[in-house]
Amino acid sequence: MDLIRMKDVNKRYKNGVTAIYDLDLRIEKGDFVFIIGSTGCGKSTLIKMLYREEKPTSGKIIVGGIDVAKLRNGKVYKLRRKLGVVFQDFKLLNRSTVYENVAFALEVFGTPKKEIHSKVIKALELVGLKHKAKNYPTELSGGEQQRVAIARAIINGPKLLICDEPTGNLDENTSMEIMSVLEAINQMGTTIIMVTHDTEIVDKMKKRVILLDSGRILKDYEKGTYKHESI
Amino acid sequence: MRAFRILSRNIRDAFKSVFRNFSLSLASISCITITLVVVSLAMILSDNVNNFATLVEKDVTIVVFLDRDITKEQIEDVRDSIDVLDNIASIEFQDKMSISKEMMESSDVFKNILGNYNEEENPIQDTYQVKVKDIELIKKTADQIKEIDHVSVVKYGEGMVEQLVTVFDVVKKVSIGMVIALIIVTAFLIANTIKITIFSRKREIEIMRLVGASNLNIKIPFLFEGLFLGMFGSIIPILATIYGYTALYNNFNGQLFSPFIKLIKPEPFIYIVSVVLLIIGILVGMFGSWRAVKKHLKI
């Protein structure tokens, strides 16, 4: 079953730049998809439209049954609660502890304290950071901070995890650690869409790969068929 | 239960956040403090002017001089005729002997002149001292009294009273206008200060949106924060009002420069001003926060 369905999507920014042209895309539940392409090819715009940070100029986008293109500003939270987002710059609150950062996503909805505690501990265990719960983000390495961001993104048990260059700031080994965390999350049933520049990771992971160029899908590689050298 | 949890969390977080962002909170609080002190001064000033005006207005008296050959019954008739008029607050009779006695006591000149007359020859006339309810209608009332039989002359400080009424009216309107203008200016000033405070927390708002907080979820903690900023900002102005005004009142024995200008008694005046300051502080703080957050909630 499709979790994401994009049809004839166009995105033109106010400054006249067209980032996405007539894009059609289907992503099934449980998939792990890489979106790659050179800088300015529309990767970020594409995923920003998925979590409704940007609105498409025309076309249809359905994410988990929600018509994203028609979603009003005041209702965006309904979509956001169904998905998690991870960024290159982690976007953590530096003045809150690791625990507080992860709990933040639950506190917003008035979840009972006990439930928050058990969920936060479980999420931190999953990313291997339970022992750092009381530390502040600035006391952690880049890889650890990214894992905190992942824990926050998955705490609500989202169907979809969107990752915008999550390994962009990390070295090779740390990147692979993050990838194994993401793989584990994917195996638990969460669909993952990851934008990346890192072709080595893409090579190693052997997942579905969508290659974008100038706002269009240039190629859609089936699972395991992508090889960096072949481009 | 869920709503209560969200509310208590919001209040707790707002309180925490005031202290976590202390330097910026201090900027907002100082801004509220300074302007509320000015508002307090303006309120104390305008209320006292109004109070003074009211006292003076209450003091304005129509003096009704009665005919020299008036009988006791006629004096009563005049009283009844004045009594039925609309604008009358009080009537007091003063007979000519008591007036001349009073005058003689007050000055040696009068004593010399009036001392030469006996009761029969007393040149002073019996009078009614009439106080009116609405000073703006004093002319009309005086004219009506003039029409009554056995009334010889009616005096109320014509011209002067009208001028006084106009001046006080202007002072009243100007002072109220000033307080309102000051409150509005304060509100926007504080809104801007809080905007700067919140601008530095754009990231926090961004993350809140990202994890699925609704606009209301995001706004409420900031509203409470504005409430706390307003509350903290009004502490010094309130203390200054309570202690400052009481000290001023005691220092001048309740009057300014002359017994004619009476100050408003501190109690309950200072408490009313304090409550008004607190309410202004809170409303203005919340308004500032609300405006500032709203800006960051648009995509």
Side-chain angles (χ1 to χ4, degrees), chain A residues 57-222:
Chain A
T57 315
S58 65
K60 200 167 190 176
I61 303 177
I62 308 283
V63 176
I66 296 176
D67 193 340
V68 178
K70 286 185 181 161
L71 205 60
R72 282 188 290 124
N73 278 350
K75 300 285 177 202
V76 169
Y77 71 93
K78 289 191 172 173
L79 171 73
R80 300 275 171 92
R81 287 179 191 185
K82 289 195 171 184
L83 49 84
V85 192
V86 176
F87 298 92
Q88 185 174 3
D89 62 350
F90 323 131
K91 293 203 194 297
L92 297 174
L93 297 168
N94 286 334
R95 276 185 271 189
S96 301
T97 62
V98 166
Y99 182 94
E100 286 168 340
N101 263 288
V102 180
F104 191 65
L106 291 174
E107 280 179 343
V108 166
F109 319 126
T111 314
K113 246 186 183 167
K114 265 190 182 172
E115 199 183 322
I116 292 180
H117 185 77
S118 70
K119 279 188 171 173
V120 171
I121 295 300
K122 221 173 123 191
L124 285 176
E125 258 171 8
L126 185 68
V127 298
L129 278 180
K130 193 182 154 194
H131 59 292
K132 299 253 170 150
K134 285 182 181 161
N135 288 68
Y136 286 89
T138 44
E139 298 163 0
L140 305 181
S141 70
E144 286 170 329
Q145 288 190 46
Q146 192 56 289
R147 282 190 275 161
V148 176
I150 293 173
R152 182 183 63 196
I154 59 164
I155 190 131
N156 280 317
K159 290 181 194 160
L160 173 65
L161 184 63
I162 297 171
C163 308
D164 192 355
E165 305 207 28
T167 58
N169 280 344
L170 308 174
D171 63 42
E172 207 187 314
N173 283 339
T174 322
S175 296
M176 285 321 291
E177 277 172 35
I178 295 293
M179 290 319 296
S180 60
V181 170
L182 291 178
E183 172 99 69
I185 292 165
N186 179 236
Q187 270 160 17
M188 289 160 75
T190 305
T191 309
I192 295 183
I193 298 177
M194 175 168 157
V195 165
T196 186
H197 269 120
D198 195 335
T199 45
E200 233 171 274
I201 288 178
V202 182
D203 265 344
K204 280 184 190 162
M205 297 291 289
K206 304 209 181 311
K207 304 286 182 190
R208 182 180 170 191
V209 178
I210 292 166
L211 176 64
L212 282 185
D213 184 46
S214 311
R216 293 182 175 89
I217 295 179
L218 195 67
K219 215 150 185 199
D220 192 343
Y221 297 90
E222 286 299 308

Side-chain angles (χ1 to χ4, degrees), chain A residues 2-15:
Chain A
D2 292 340
L3 181 72
I4 297 170
R5 177 94 183 86
M6 298 175 93
K7 204 171 170 355
D8 304 328
V9 173
N10 284 283
K11 174 66 189 178
R12 194 184 162 89
Y13 285 103
K14 278 180 187 158
N15 60 11

